[in-house]
Every structure is written in structure tokens, then in C-alpha cells.
Amino acid sequence: YFTGIESLLPFKMDTQLFTKVELSLRCKSLPDLDTFSVSDPMVIVSVKRNGTFAEIGRTERVKNNLNPIFQTRLLMDYFFEEVQELKFDVYDIDSKGGSLNSQDYVGWATCTLAQILASPGSTIALSLKQCRSFAAQVIITAEQMSKNVDKIKFAISAAGLDEKDFFGKSDPFLEIWRTKPDGQLVRVHKTEYLKKTVNPTWIPFELSVEQLCHGDLSRPLVFKVFDWDSDTSSDFIGEFSSSLHDILSRPVGQRGFTLTTPNHTDVKKRSKSRGTVVFGTVDVIKGYSFLDFIKGGMAMDLMVAIDFTGSNGDPRDPASLHYRCAGRLNPYQQAISSIVDIVSPYNPTKMFNVYGFGGRLNGQEVDHCFPIDFNNRNPVAYGVNVILHFYDQVFNQNMTLSGPTYISQIIQTASSFASRPFNNNEQ
């Protein structure tokens, strides 16, 4: 669906939204499987893809240690909208370089990446299964890799610019260019042009640090000033090079930079001043990622609303979206399972409000917002299995699919939940 949206928007959407996280591992109370020495443990980490676990990395071997702290860190991409199931296989490595089949198997554990991130301190302790020690654990800590989500607010002006127009003053605008590792320049911002002035003050603007310098505050930036012309290409006035670190480290009042023309054909004119660009304000606006909020204790809630209008088709018809049969989930059951599984790790209570709309109960009028457990005082379900149970039981309550599709009451109910007051402990 992103492709359709992109055609309507003036900017490009990122369809691969993810955050890189680093996994650190240690084990506790491992069994000793060696006869004449202590076990030499190693952990293999795998992620489930298309129903099968595939290895994404392994730790080093720690010799003679039943409580190893592994130095090897594993990187992986975190996708909020996916259930990323991980498996941790612990081995006792007896012979370096030998196949895994020749090593002693200690045990295994599984969890999702979301469960790790949503745990206190982003750390989870998992008991090893198929292990000789009931106390054996693998302990995993996830940490977001440094990604600068801050923004910079600029207020920039210039003074004494060259006059490029024959019959009036210049119409200047400013461009900011980022330097790539190969030396090429990429334009990251262009201001508006201001008519007939050699002392412009451009409208303040904000840029993300990632957009400006890819998070590298020392990356060279080039600031170029041009004179805008309506009927010809813009005239180059001058430029200067700096970095975000250089600009921020200068005291306020000393953030002026001289414009020159370093590529001028006349060598003597290359260093001649073409005006001064002044940074009046360079404010760092602290940004926070999704994982920052999770680490800070943010919990997520979910309200499920199920469409019981007649457009779904007769539930007894295999073509209906509400058709239920053993061993196979219908589209509604699939959607509920997928979404609740994603949100659940971020909700400590696992309690979710569940409503239906568009159905007629016991021959009464169409109800556009009813709890599917028919408990008006506390319409909540614990976990995905209870939600699916309530959904299945609705069809035993003399439910008739009706209509029309009218969801304003559902939206109002969801809004009332979202706007309810909270105390300081819940912030």
C-alpha cells in the first residue's frame, strides 16, 4: 500500500522501517558435561524465517566456565511490525573446529526479540530446555545501536553579499550540501529566496542529524549561496565548508563564516570575501526513538473491533470472511492473532478491550458497538486465545450479520480509552 500513498505525497516514504539492535549473551549455572575439566560453552543464535530457524550468529567459546559472559555481540534488525522469534542453542565445545554433531548439547531456549526489548532493562533470563541442570539459564540483553534521532533548528542570515543583478540587489538563497565518503556532494536542504537584499535572514528550519550528516557531527558540510533568477540559471555568490561539530562548538556571536569562490578561474579572486553567513540559532532538539520509549517504560494498549456486517457473507458459507472450521483460521482470526501477538509483549497486563459492530443480537436493533463477551462493565479479554474464544462464541448468541457499516461509535469508544486520565506513575 505504500506505493499508492507515495504518489500522493511530496516526499519519499521509507518502507523498510527498522532499528539495529545488539544482543549480548551470558549463561548461568550450566551443567558440567566434561569429565576431567569444566565445560567450554558457546551459544548459537537463530531467527525463525518461513517456519524454520536459521543461524544469524554465534558467540565465541569460553573455556572452563559454567557462568560465561560472552564478548561476541550479535547485530540484528528489529522490526516492530514482525514477530521475530529467536532460538538460543548452547553447546559445550570439546574440540575446536569440529562439527556441532560432535559437540555436547547443553540445551536451548526461545523468545521473541520484542519480549527482550520489553523486559526491564531490555534483559531477559530464559531457562534452558532439555538441559541436565534445572537452574541453567541463558541471559540476553538487547541494546539499540546508536542512531541519532535528534534534530537541528537553524536560524541563518547573511550580510554584505555580492550584488549579482545589474539593476538591483541579489535575490539570495542558501543550499546545504553533505559530503559523501567518496568526496561527492549531496544536497540536503535549500532555503527560500529573498528578493532584493544583500542582508537576508532566511526563515528558520529544522533538519534531522541523520539527514544532515548521517549522524557524523564531524562530516564536512558545504554551504552555498546563490542569487535566484527567474529567467536564467541562478548565479553563484560564494560558499564555505564547515561541520555541525564546528558550528556547535563556536560561542554564540562567533558563528560567522566568510563566503569565497574557491573554484574561480582567477586564482587571486578565490579567497576574496563575497559576504558573511551567520548562524544566529543552532538548537539541538532532542529526539527519541520507539525503543527509547519502550526502555523508559512505555506500555501499549490495543482495542479490537470486529466487523459483523452482512458484507462479510453468511458465516456458514466457506466463502465468508467469518467462516470457521477446525484446523484453519479465517481472515479475522488471522488478523487478530497477528496483531495481538505483536502488541502483547509491550502490554504487561495482556488485557485488551474487544468490541463488535454491525451485528443484530437476538433479533434486536443493529448494535454498532458491543462487547463481544457481553460484559458491558468490563469488556476485556486476557491474551489472544481468550479473544479468539469470545469471537467464536459470538456466533452461538443468535448473532445476525447486519449493517450498515457504521464505525463512529467504535471510534468514540477507542477515543475515550485513549483520553482517559493517567497519573505520574503511568507516564
Side-chain angles (χ1 to χ4, degrees):
Y1 60 91
F2 279 113
T3 303
I5 293 177
E6 279 189 332
S7 63
L8 303 175
L9 298 176
F11 54 85
K12 185 177 180 181
M13 294 182 65
D14 187 354
T15 59
Q16 292 294 318
L17 300 176
F18 65 91
T19 300
K20 284 198 174 292
V21 296
E22 181 184 71
L23 301 182
S24 304
L25 295 93
R26 59 189 177 96
C27 291
K28 179 181 178 182
S29 303
L30 296 180
D32 188 1
L33 303 184
D34 292 346
T35 304
F36 302 106
S37 64
V38 180
S39 295
D40 308 325
M42 178 191 75
V43 181
I44 294 179
V45 182
S46 305
V47 63
K48 182 175 282 189
R49 294 172 179 150
N50 299 320
T52 303
F53 282 103
E55 180 181 338
I56 60 171
R58 58 182 66 183
T59 68
E60 78 280 9
R61 169 198 185 196
V62 177
K63 297 190 67 175
N64 300 322
N65 199 324
L66 302 182
N67 299 284
I69 299 175
F70 300 100
Q71 296 300 314
T72 303
R73 307 288 196 268
L74 301 178
L75 289 178
M76 67 177 299
D77 296 331
Y78 162 68
F79 297 89
F80 166 74
E81 70 278 11
E82 295 182 10
V83 177
Q84 295 172 275
E85 188 172 354
L86 302 174
K87 184 180 182 185
F88 303 90
D89 291 290
V90 182
Y91 288 86
D92 171 22
I93 306 300
D94 292 320
S95 57
K96 202 172 182 180
S99 67
L100 288 177
N101 292 332
S102 64
Q103 313 299 335
D104 293 326
Y105 190 64
V106 179
W108 61 274
T110 61
C111 70
T112 65
L113 181 56
Q115 286 175 313
I116 303 174
L117 293 167
S119 299
S122 297
T123 299
I124 192 170
L126 304 173
S127 296
L128 292 180
K129 299 179 180 179
Q130 296 182 346
C131 184
R132 296 183 186 179
S133 170
F134 291 107
Q137 293 180 324
V138 58
I139 301 167
I140 311 102
T141 298
E143 183 177 0
Q144 179 182 357
M145 292 299 291
S146 177
K147 182 178 180 181
N148 200 317
V149 293
D150 295 344
K151 291 184 178 181
I152 305 294
K153 183 175 182 178
F154 290 102
I156 304 177
S157 61
L161 298 180
D162 272 3
E163 297 185 7
K164 292 294 183 178
D165 295 340
F166 289 111
F167 303 105
K169 297 179 180 179
S170 298
D171 307 322
F173 64 90
L174 173 75
E175 292 183 347
I176 304 177
W177 295 70
R178 180 182 67 241
T179 304
K180 295 172 60 178
D182 60 5
Q184 296 186 40
L185 296 178
V186 178
R187 191 175 71 184
V188 296
H189 185 73
K190 177 181 178 181
T191 71
E192 76 287 357
Y193 69 88
L194 300 176
K195 300 195 71 173
K196 297 181 180 180
T197 179
V198 294
N199 301 297
T201 298
W202 291 287
I203 297 174
F205 57 91
E206 294 180 6
L207 294 174
S208 71
V209 174
E210 284 293 318
Q211 177 187 1
L212 182 63
C213 56
H214 279 185
D216 179 5
L217 303 190
S218 298
R219 176 170 292 204
L221 303 172
V222 179
F223 296 79
K224 301 183 180 184
V225 179
F226 294 85
D227 170 32
W228 176 83
D229 287 316
S230 60
D231 53 354
T232 62
S233 60
S234 299
D235 297 320
F236 177 64
I237 295 178
E239 67 179 55
F240 69 91
S241 297
S242 185
S243 68
L244 185 55
H245 177 268
D246 178 34
I247 297 170
L248 290 171
S249 63
R250 296 191 178 201
V252 177
Q254 299 181 27
R255 292 175 174 172
F257 295 83
T258 301
L259 293 170
T260 62
T261 51
N263 297 318
H264 200 289
T265 54
D266 187 339
V267 177
K268 295 181 180 180
K269 294 183 178 181
R270 291 180 180 177
S271 59
K272 180 182 177 181
S273 174
R274 307 293 175 173
T276 303
V277 171
V278 179
F279 292 84
T281 300
V282 187
D283 290 334
V284 179
I285 303 173
K286 182 64 179 176
Y288 298 94
S289 69
F290 173 74
L291 291 184
D292 287 330
F293 284 101
I294 294 297
K295 189 175 181 180
M298 182 189 76
M300 299 183 67
D301 205 351
L302 172 70
M303 175 177 147
V304 179
I306 303 173
D307 181 356
F308 289 104
T309 60
S311 59
N312 289 279
D314 189 334
R316 297 166 296 183
D317 184 349
S320 170
L321 297 178
H322 281 303
Y323 181 74
R324 292 157 299 125
C325 67
R328 182 165 63 92
L329 300 179
N330 67 28
Y332 281 98
Q333 293 168 321
Q334 292 177 30
I336 291 169
S337 298
S338 297
I339 296 173
V340 175
D341 282 345
I342 289 172
V343 176
S344 287
Y346 309 105
N347 186 310
T349 69
K350 306 294 186 291
M351 302 292 287
F352 302 105
N353 294 280
V354 188
Y355 289 86
F357 64 93
R360 191 188 301 273
L361 299 172
N362 299 316
Q364 300 177 3
E365 292 185 357
V366 177
D367 197 333
H368 297 291
C369 183
F370 59 90
I372 67 169
D373 64 345
F374 306 103
N375 184 347
N376 286 301
R377 292 185 177 181
N378 192 29
V380 296
Y382 180 81
V384 64
N385 291 331
V386 176
I387 296 176
L388 293 176
H389 171 73
F390 285 159
Y391 167 73
D392 191 60
Q393 292 300 306
V394 165
F395 296 96
N396 298 328
Q397 301 292 329
N398 194 18
M399 162 70 72
T400 302
L401 303 190
S402 187
T405 304
Y406 182 60
I407 63 172
S408 65
Q409 292 184 29
I410 288 290
I411 294 175
Q412 291 170 7
T413 301
S415 178
S416 67
F417 286 131
S419 60
R420 62 190 175 190
F422 52 87
N423 56 47
N424 292 333
N425 293 329
E426 296 173 318
Q427 295 191 56

